Structures are given as C-alpha cells and as structure tokens.
Amino acid sequence: MFAQPLIDSIDFARNSKQLRGELAINELARLNDLLADNQGSVAYELLGYSKDDSDFLRVNLEGVCHLRCQRCLGVIEHRFNLSSKLKLLTVAQLAELDEVDDDGVEEIEASSELDLMALVEDELLLGLPFAPKHNAGECDVVEAQNKHSTNPFAILAGLKK
C-alpha cells in the first residue's frame, strides 16, 4: 500500500500546482456503506491558484461507481463528473466566519498536510445522490408492483356496499 499523499495546501495554491491521478473506489473506505459494491474508479484533478489575495483549490472528479436503488435495491451504475471550488482559510479566518456566502465557493481549513485521498473522498460523498433511484421505467420491482396491484380504495368501496 502506498503512503497517503499529503500536500501543503497554501503552497500548492500559491504556486499554481496541479495534481492528477486515479483512485480505485475500494481505496475510499468511508464510501463502503453507500455503495452496492466497491467496483469503479475516480479520476481526480487538483488545481491550485490564488486570486484577490485568497488561495483556492479546484477539485474535479470523474468516474463511475455502483449505487443501490432505494426502490428495488438493484444496482445502479452511477457516472459522475463533479467540480468544486474550495477557498483556503486559516483557523482564525474560519472562526471569524459568521455567515455562509452562497457564491458557490466552499471554505476549508488550510493545512500544511492536507490529505488528498480524504479530500477526494469528501467531495465524492458530498456529490452522491441522497436517495439514488433508477430512472422511470427501469425499476423492475416497482413496475411489477404497479401492474399487479389493485387500487386499495376500490377494495374499500366494495366493503361499503
């Protein structure tokens, strides 16, 4: 097993560094409970930059994983293409933050030892659907139930007579 890749986030952003790679889904342990299996991979790209005296990271994720449908419990092949813009703040700056700006930029703590795999896993966890479901007409169990079930109110109407 390889060592966890750690980066100095401020240095990474200020020097406009870039990092690309690919991770197997089975390397991301916190995803295990949310996935149908540990098959698939994540291609990541991390870009650092500075703008207006602030430091930023851009995280781009692309890949495929298998989710469990919440209707039929079948497997869904979920393709994702996620992009996040993260503003790096010191602990003091985070403490002074009293409201969340809705400008599409998330704030994270700047770190001299930012765990790249944890960052990729966090962004993927945030980007997965809360309750994944097959598209309409693709759920076998739901379609079978709809064909064979009768209206429960029709039964009540029969009892009323």
Side-chain angles (χ1 to χ4, degrees):
M1 183 170 181
F2 298 104
Q4 294 281 87
L6 303 174
I7 62 168
D8 181 342
S9 59
I10 296 292
D11 177 63
F12 194 88
R14 290 186 180 160
N15 291 309
S16 300
K17 294 183 179 179
Q18 299 180 8
L19 193 57
R20 289 178 181 82
E22 191 164 340
L23 294 170
I25 292 289
N26 63 3
E27 293 181 59
L28 306 173
R30 291 182 291 155
L31 285 173
N32 286 342
D33 291 340
L34 302 175
L35 302 177
D37 57 38
N38 61 2
Q39 303 299 308
S41 64
V42 181
Y44 65 86
E45 177 182 47
L46 184 64
L47 308 167
Y49 63 97
S50 295
K51 179 180 173 184
D52 301 328
D53 295 328
S54 295
D55 300 311
F56 296 90
L57 296 176
R58 167 75 65 190
V59 181
N60 298 316
L61 304 176
E62 187 176 339
V64 63
C65 61
H66 298 133
L67 302 176
R68 181 108 16 231
C69 175
Q70 297 301 302
R71 288 185 190 131
C72 70
L73 300 179
V75 176
I76 303 171
E77 184 175 279
H78 178 69
R79 296 194 177 280
F80 54 88
N81 190 351
L82 306 169
S83 185
S84 302
K85 183 178 176 182
L86 307 172
K87 184 176 183 179
L88 299 170
L89 300 176
T90 63
V91 174
Q93 290 171 319
L94 282 171
E96 292 174 5
L97 209 63
D98 44 330
E99 63 181 58
V100 177
D101 293 331
D102 193 22
D103 58 358
V105 178
E106 299 174 44
E107 290 90 6
I108 64 168
E109 180 183 344
S111 172
S112 61
E113 293 184 350
L114 181 66
D115 185 345
L116 179 62
M117 282 181 59
L119 179 64
V120 167
E121 191 170 22
D122 288 343
E123 292 304 312
L124 186 53
L125 282 166
L126 291 170
L128 289 177
F130 179 70
K133 297 177 192 123
H134 283 108
N135 293 328
E138 292 180 10
C139 236
D140 296 333
V141 173
V142 173
E143 295 302 315
Q145 287 176 348
N146 290 341
K147 288 178 185 176
H148 298 297
S149 66
T150 59
N151 186 343
F153 295 109
I155 296 171
L156 289 175
L159 292 174
K160 192 174 172 183
K161 292 182 182 176

